[in-house]
Every structure is written in C-alpha cells, then in structure tokens.
Amino acid sequence: IGYLDSVHFFQPRALRTPVYHELLIGYLDYCRTLGYVYAHIWACPPSPGDDYIFHCHPPDQHTPTAKKLQQWYKDMLKHAKEKNAVSDWYDMNHWVNKAEVQYGHQIPCFDGDFWPDKIETFIAKIQEESAAAAAAPDGKGAAAKKGKKGA
C-alpha cells in the first residue's frame, strides 16, 4: 500500500479512525485469503502542498506528523493481528534487523513508490560526482591517475 489519502468529511468524526482501520483490515484479510503472505505499507505523510490521491484538501485539514501517522498504522496492525487478519507485523527497522538485511537490493522496492525514485536520484548524483571527480584537474581525477602511471 503505497499511498492512502482521506479528507475529513466522514461523519461522525469519532468513527473515522475505526472505520478506516476496518477497511484496511478487511483488505489485508482479503489479500491473505488470496494467498498473499506479505504486505508493505508506506507510512509517511505528504510534504506541505503535496496531495497523494485527492487533488485538494480542505484548508482546515491538518496533516499528521510522521510519528502520529506511523502510530495510526501500528494501532491498525495490532487490531488486525487480534482479528487474525495478519499473522504478524514489523516496522522497517525491526524487519531489517530481524531479516539481517545487509544490502540495499534485499529491501523491497515497488515501482511508483518513494524509494525507487529516491534511489535513482542518489545513483545519478553519485555518477555525476564520480564523473566530475574523474575530470577534475586538481589531482584527484583521471589526469592524476595518468600522471602516477609513469612514476
């Protein structure tokens, strides 16, 4: 689940979280019945001015902090486990340590999500820096390597 979004018009307001939790738990349970054993949830609020699904949010709707949104999902997942909709769940830090992840390619990435785009940006930046360093006449690039070759 890469992007979820809501607007605060659901009434009564006190039922918003329980209803949204039940919708997600129902979806996770349905996926389990189809044979899926893993689900990945991206829990990061949008940056100011960004909208995930709805084109525009009401000006009085507040965006939750990352910590509050993550807790919202953790509460939903605890409830999902109580209902046997999921067998277990981990946050990314716990999972990386539990699975003894050592390399970036071991972390799940999904097309269109945040990390694949970020990784491509980082790779392009590293390639640019590497190319600039190789072309630099300050002794740190390819010219310096050629000069050392004959020494």
Side-chain angles (χ1 to χ4, degrees), residues 72-151:
W72 189 91
Y73 278 107
K74 287 177 182 180
D75 292 343
M76 182 273 299
L77 290 166
K78 287 175 189 172
H79 191 201
K81 187 174 179 182
E82 290 168 3
K83 296 179 109 184
N84 293 319
V86 299
S87 59
D88 212 347
W89 64 272
Y90 304 100
D91 65 29
M92 188 63 133
N93 284 336
H94 185 194
W95 178 80
V96 165
N97 291 325
K98 183 179 184 290
E100 298 180 2
V101 171
Q102 297 178 355
Y103 304 101
H105 72 272
Q106 293 174 291
I107 297 172
C109 285
F110 304 98
D111 191 34
D113 281 352
F114 177 80
W115 285 115
D117 291 340
K118 271 296 187 203
I119 290 169
E120 287 182 22
T121 301
F122 289 143
I123 289 170
K125 184 177 178 183
I126 290 168
Q127 288 173 336
E128 288 171 11
E129 290 172 356
S130 189
D138 63 358
K140 295 180 183 176
K145 289 178 187 170
K146 287 180 185 175
K148 288 183 181 178
K149 200 177 198 181

Side-chain angles (χ1 to χ4, degrees), residues 35-54:
Y36 288 92
V37 293
Y38 294 104
H40 303 274
I41 300 174
W42 175 248
C44 186
S47 299
D50 287 349
D51 294 303
Y52 283 160
I53 296 172
F54 296 109

Side-chain angles (χ1 to χ4, degrees), residues 7-17 19-20 23:
V7 289
H8 66 38
F9 297 121
F10 185 94
Q11 296 294 325
R13 184 183 170 108
L15 294 180
R16 279 179 56 204
T17 290
V19 169
Y20 292 158
L23 287 168

